[in-house]
Amino acid sequence: MKVHLIRSEGFKMEDYNHVFNILNQYTGGITFVPSEPIILPDTDLEITFDDEDVEEFSEKAYTWEELFSVCNHYRVDKNIPDNEQIFLLTDKQNEEKWFGSVDKRT
């Protein structure tokens, strides 16, 4: 199985290379494919952080639909078959403040 490892433009190349190299040090049925950085579209969603130790602030965030749409557009643009996976690495916030997720619609 191939996994296309894509990154948003703001995700540090050094961090991307570390992840890519760690994943590729293991042999087996999964091959990781590098990519050029992609530009995430603008988002209108803002989430508010309220912490006792820090003054309340808002930050732009992406919905899961927006992030999965980026992956789906990448799949179409690069003619990636449905049996190959796409993982997006980004430094941007998401609506749930989660580390990661999978698109359950596919």
Side-chain angles (χ1 to χ4, degrees), residues 41-83:
D42 289 334
T43 181
D44 293 328
L45 180 65
E46 284 195 19
I47 55 175
T48 301
F49 295 89
D50 188 14
D51 188 329
E52 294 175 5
D53 300 328
V54 180
E55 186 175 323
E56 184 177 300
F57 66 97
S58 294
E59 188 173 302
K60 292 284 188 179
Y62 286 87
T63 66
W64 287 124
E65 267 189 23
E66 290 171 324
L67 294 173
F68 294 138
S69 177
V70 167
C71 294
N72 289 330
H73 280 85
Y74 186 85
R75 178 181 301 281
V76 170
D77 289 346
K78 302 295 183 183
N79 295 316
I80 297 172
D82 289 339
N83 65 342

Side-chain angles (χ1 to χ4, degrees), residues 2 4-7 33-39 70-82 84-86:
K2 285 187 182 177
H4 298 263
L5 198 61
I6 63 176
R7 70 180 178 93
V33 180
S35 75
E36 296 295 319
I38 60 168
I39 298 172
V70 167
C71 294
N72 289 330
H73 280 85
Y74 186 85
R75 178 181 301 281
V76 170
D77 289 346
K78 302 295 183 183
N79 295 316
I80 297 172
D82 289 339
E84 296 180 12
Q85 301 296 311
I86 299 171

Side-chain angles (χ1 to χ4, degrees), residues 12 14 27-28 39 62 77 85-87 94 97 99 106:
K12 293 180 186 175
E14 179 181 0
T27 58
I39 298 172
Y62 286 87
D77 289 346
Q85 301 296 311
I86 299 171
F87 290 179
N94 63 70
K97 303 179 200 170
F99 177 74
T106 58

